[in-house]
Amino acid sequence: MVLLKWEHTPGEAWVYLVILTSIYILYILRTYIRSIIYISQLNGPKTIPIIGNANSILKENFLYRLAYESQMYGRIVRIWLTIFPYVMFLEPEDIQLILNNAKHTQKVFFYKLLDNFLGKGLITRDIKSWRIHRRLLQPAFHLHVLEKFTNTFAKHADHLMNKILEKNNQEINITTFINDSVYNILSETVLGINRINRINEMDDLPFRKGQIMLLYRMIRPWLLIEWIYRLTKYGREEEKQRKNLFDTCFKMVKEKRDLLQSKDRISNNDIKKNKNISLLEYMVEINEKNPCFSDEDIVEECCTFMLAGQDSVGTATAMTIFLLANHPEWQNKCIEEIDEIFNGDTRFPTISDLKEMKCLEMCIKESLRLYPSVPIIGRTLGEDIKIGKHIIPAGCSVLISPYSTHHLPHHFPDPDTFKPERFNSENSEKRHPYAYIPFSAGPRNCIGYKFAMLEMKSIISAILRKCRLQSIPGKKEIRPKFRMTIRAQGGLWVKIIERDQILKSIAA
């Protein structure tokens, strides 16, 4: 019997290695390749090589044009963010398929670029951790708990109103005042720090000192590689800012734990009683009962609530005030409603009072329709979905633009006009529930949307109880600037007139 010996040459070995390596790479990139094959069949805006649509997607007219050009591209729009392919949904029925399904709760890759700024809180966490944290934190945002914060909202709103009255008969950029007030509210409700009594002192907390570098990195694809980015000046600065945030929060967690250990423990019964505790205290107590919710988790969530809550609520509140100044007929309706609720009483509003402010709520909702705080939401498909004749593969990245959807003319006729009546009960019932999504929707919606609405009502109603707002010639236009949140270029300018002064002039 003769045995044949098959000997491999070095060249053949390299060929096999290359083949095996190629197969492995294709396996790793199978979802990416499948997405590219699918997305190449779709229509979408013109792209720039390598950058794709990243340089233009957050420009002023891009998301606006998508709403009006959606018929040109079809039901599903192709978008490229650098080398990453996305599909964008604009129609409410399609958006509902994504946001209402727990299988599609994974955030897209670009959210990871926010980790250094926001921390790995509810906004950016992976699905498994997010589910645990959401379940643990949700009770802190139930309405009966938020009711205990209304006095805090009112106290800071009253302080803001007095600061504004110092500018009586003057033109002011309302954004600056509102942002300061929102920051003070968050400092007390999230961290347990009352800043009103030390408002003129140097603020040594790091929550207003960082900047989001996501867009900077998006249009420079090589900086999407983390180790390269960390070698850059901005990468080092962001890492330093993250360290400052974490060091500060860890110190607060330790101080809060030491304080609580010297007192009676917080319990669920305390939550149910008329006891006002900060979110930090609540999370420290969660840690005591659930060791899986670590100190690092507390710090991550604190950073998320402090940083994400500033721009979103601050901008929405300032936008509403500006729009009321430029639409005096609706401002008058809100003032009449507020005067009827309080009937000359100078007390702080209760949660019942805030619920009665239906007209003000319509105005806030219409402001959020025109300028939703977060203009783009991203998800990753957990399974194949079918939309019309399209089968979109699992793993594909999906973009949803509340700004674009809110401007679809067939859902919101005359979409550029401020019409709060869109949100009366009759009109709201007729509209698709996913046509209006300023706080996202479904299982991964904004956990703090009720908190935000009560906060905004408290601030705006406090101002309208003492002031009238006037528009300023030449400064009546909002120029939105799209980042992770919408901002107003050049600020939002209004003139403040004390209501008592108006009554005196009429009497004279």
Side-chain angles (χ1 to χ4, degrees):
M1 185 175 185
V2 178
L3 295 177
L4 296 177
K5 187 177 181 181
W6 184 20
E7 295 182 356
H8 297 288
T9 66
E12 289 175 326
W14 275 108
V15 170
Y16 291 135
L17 181 60
V18 169
I19 291 173
L20 290 173
T21 303
S22 299
I23 292 172
Y24 178 73
I25 291 173
L26 289 173
Y27 175 77
I28 295 295
L29 297 177
R30 65 192 185 283
T31 300
Y32 176 73
I33 294 170
R34 191 180 178 201
S35 297
I36 288 178
I37 292 172
Y38 170 73
I39 287 174
S40 63
Q41 305 169 28
L42 301 175
N43 295 321
K46 291 182 179 179
T47 60
I48 299 173
I50 301 177
I51 293 177
N53 302 111
N55 197 37
S56 58
I57 192 168
L58 294 181
K59 287 187 176 178
E60 180 176 350
N61 64 346
F62 185 87
L63 296 177
Y64 180 83
R65 283 194 296 108
L66 280 179
Y68 286 88
E69 297 175 1
S70 58
Q71 301 301 319
M72 179 191 309
Y73 301 125
R75 192 166 173 179
I76 303 172
V77 183
R78 179 206 69 226
I79 300 288
W80 280 90
L81 297 182
T82 63
I83 61 172
F84 297 96
Y86 289 79
V87 294
M88 178 173 277
F89 298 154
L90 300 177
E91 289 297 333
E93 312 86 58
D94 303 336
I95 293 171
Q96 184 174 13
L97 287 176
I98 306 301
L99 297 185
N100 201 40
N101 191 332
K103 294 181 180 179
H104 308 311
T105 51
Q106 181 67 46
K107 297 293 185 77
V108 296
F109 162 76
F110 283 110
Y111 280 84
K112 294 184 181 299
L113 303 182
L114 296 173
D115 284 352
N116 283 344
F117 180 78
L118 288 179
K120 296 178 182 178
L122 288 177
I123 293 177
T124 61
R125 278 197 179 276
D126 62 274
I127 294 178
K128 184 178 179 181
S129 299
W130 166 78
R131 285 199 180 103
I132 295 171
H133 285 215
R134 179 78 182 221
R135 176 177 55 82
L136 293 172
L137 292 172
Q138 189 67 59
F141 291 90
H142 288 167
L143 207 55
H144 71 277
V145 178
L146 296 180
E147 182 175 3
K148 300 175 181 62
F149 285 123
T150 54
N151 195 64
T152 301
F153 297 157
K155 176 181 64 177
H156 288 280
D158 188 66
H159 181 79
L160 167 67
M161 181 268 297
N162 290 328
K163 297 291 287 185
I164 287 177
L165 281 178
E166 293 175 4
K167 305 295 182 180
N168 187 34
N169 286 315
Q170 297 181 39
E171 299 177 1
I172 64 171
N173 179 5
I174 195 67
T175 305
T176 303
F177 290 86
I178 297 299
N179 286 346
D180 287 344
S181 184
V182 169
Y183 179 58
N184 293 339
I185 289 173
L186 288 172
S187 294
E188 185 163 346
T189 55
V190 176
L191 304 176
I193 298 174
N194 183 353
R195 297 185 67 253
I196 284 183
N197 297 329
R198 49 177 183 167
I199 200 69
N200 294 320
E201 294 181 14
M202 182 68 70
D203 183 8
D204 57 351
L205 297 178
F207 295 104
R208 305 182 83 178
K209 298 176 182 178
Q211 58 179 326
I212 298 176
M213 299 306 299
L214 182 146
L215 300 177
Y216 178 82
R217 297 175 68 178
M218 277 175 58
I219 59 175
R220 297 165 178 83
W222 59 92
L223 295 182
L224 297 177
I225 302 171
E226 191 64 27
W227 68 268
I228 293 179
Y229 175 62
R230 290 189 179 187
L231 295 175
T232 67
K233 172 188 172 184
Y234 291 114
R236 292 192 298 270
E237 288 178 353
E238 191 174 71
E239 186 64 28
K240 182 180 178 182
Q241 169 65 9
R242 177 182 171 85
K243 184 179 184 304
N244 289 338
L245 283 171
F246 271 52
D247 289 348
T248 300
C249 287
F250 273 119
K251 181 180 178 182
M252 289 182 181
V253 170
K254 184 180 183 304
E255 290 174 351
K256 194 65 67 177
R257 179 173 286 114
D258 292 343
L259 180 64
L260 292 175
Q261 286 175 349
S262 65
K263 296 181 178 180
D264 293 332
R265 296 289 190 182
I266 299 171
S267 67
N268 287 330
N269 290 330
D270 293 321
I271 298 292
K272 294 173 184 176
K273 294 175 185 176
N274 191 28
K275 183 174 181 180
N276 192 8
I277 65 170
S278 67
L279 186 60
L280 176 58
E281 289 177 273
Y282 182 74
M283 289 192 289
V284 168
E285 179 62 20
I286 290 177
N287 168 257
E288 295 292 321
K289 299 176 180 178
N290 300 272
C292 64
F293 192 81
S294 66
D295 282 3
E296 186 170 350
D297 292 330
I298 296 174
V299 168
E300 301 272 16
E301 297 297 352
C302 271
C303 290
T304 296
F305 286 120
M306 284 298 298
L307 296 168
Q310 288 180 53
D311 279 353
S312 56
V313 175
T315 299
T317 306
M319 291 279 196
T320 304
I321 290 172
F322 179 85
L323 289 167
L324 288 174
N326 283 271
H327 295 85
E329 70 282 8
W330 281 100
Q331 182 183 168
N332 290 337
K333 290 179 182 180
C334 289
I335 288 175
E336 289 172 7
E337 176 183 71
I338 291 168
D339 287 350
E340 184 176 344
I341 290 171
F342 293 100
N343 193 27
D345 196 334
T346 58
R347 61 183 170 81
F348 283 170
T350 64
I351 195 167
S352 297
D353 296 328
L354 297 175
K355 286 181 180 178
E356 285 186 48
M357 298 178 187
K358 302 295 185 183
C359 182
L360 178 55
E361 183 171 319
M362 289 193 296
C363 292
I364 293 172
K365 286 183 174 180
E366 176 66 350
S367 175
L368 283 167
R369 181 194 70 80
L370 286 166
Y371 306 102
S373 298
V374 180
I376 293 181
I377 301 167
R379 294 286 188 273
T380 299
L381 296 185
E383 63 181 7
D384 291 1
I385 64 168
K386 185 176 182 181
I387 294 181
K389 64 180 181 179
H390 298 275
I391 297 179
I392 307 172
C396 190
S397 297
V398 175
L399 294 179
I400 294 165
S401 171
Y403 183 87
S404 299
T405 298
H406 290 180
H407 285 80
L408 291 173
H410 51 285
H411 290 288
F412 297 98
D414 196 12
D416 301 330
T417 304
F418 181 71
K419 292 184 176 181
E421 65 268 22
R422 302 181 203 269
F423 293 96
N424 61 34
S425 56
E426 181 181 353
N427 289 331
S428 295
E429 288 175 3
K430 295 177 183 177
R431 190 166 45 247
H432 193 287
Y434 281 73
Y436 178 70
I437 49 172
F439 298 104
S440 187
R444 202 157 185 175
N445 69 339
C446 173
I447 193 173
Y449 75 95
K450 291 179 182 177
F451 180 104
M453 186 60 73
L454 292 173
E455 184 181 3
M456 287 188 280
K457 282 185 175 182
S458 298
I459 292 173
I460 298 170
S461 64
I463 294 173
L464 294 181
R465 287 174 77 176
K466 292 288 184 70
C467 306
R468 280 194 179 269
L469 311 165
Q470 291 183 359
S471 60
I472 299 172
K475 296 181 179 179
K476 294 184 177 183
E477 181 184 356
I478 294 178
R479 293 184 297 148
K481 182 178 181 181
F482 296 92
R483 292 295 180 262
M484 287 307 297
T485 57
I486 288 182
R487 298 183 182 182
Q489 296 185 59
L492 297 166
W493 292 80
V494 299
K495 186 175 182 179
I496 299 295
I497 306 293
E498 186 177 1
R499 286 177 62 183
D500 287 347
Q501 177 184 329
I502 297 174
L503 293 174
K504 289 175 184 177
S505 63
I506 292 174

